[in-house]
Amino acid sequence: MTEYTVSVDLEACDGVFACLVRDGRFAEADDGLVTLPGGDREEGRLTATFDDGDREDAEQAAAACPLDAISVEEVEP
């Protein structure tokens, strides 16, 4: 499987949570925005890297975000 990174622009995210319906890894954080397992929050961005078969779910979550706050990118080897 190919490793990929899911990034969320926390400045753009406003807690609509359309992503939660598409990918069960997204959850509501204490601040009312999203969080991901193993995610790092730094400088207004949440980033998590995965190596599993759920990339399509992450891409659907990104597509469902009405604010385009989520991106999914393949990690270069």
Side-chain angles (χ1 to χ4, degrees):
M1 280 178 231
T2 304
E3 199 172 35
Y4 61 96
T5 299
V6 179
S7 297
V8 180
D9 179 348
L10 297 173
E11 302 289 324
C13 177
D14 70 354
V16 173
F17 298 122
C19 55
L20 274 68
V21 178
R22 303 298 193 284
D23 187 337
R25 294 174 293 186
F26 285 88
E28 184 175 355
D30 292 338
D31 62 1
L33 301 178
V34 297
T35 190
L36 285 163
D40 292 318
R41 285 182 177 231
E42 211 172 283
E43 298 179 13
R45 184 163 287 287
L46 168 66
T47 306
T49 301
F50 300 97
D51 185 9
D52 57 27
D54 296 329
R55 181 176 177 167
E56 185 175 326
D57 291 345
E59 289 172 344
Q60 288 180 8
C65 179
L67 303 166
D68 294 326
I70 303 170
S71 63
V72 180
E73 297 178 13
E74 186 173 317
V75 174
E76 295 296 322

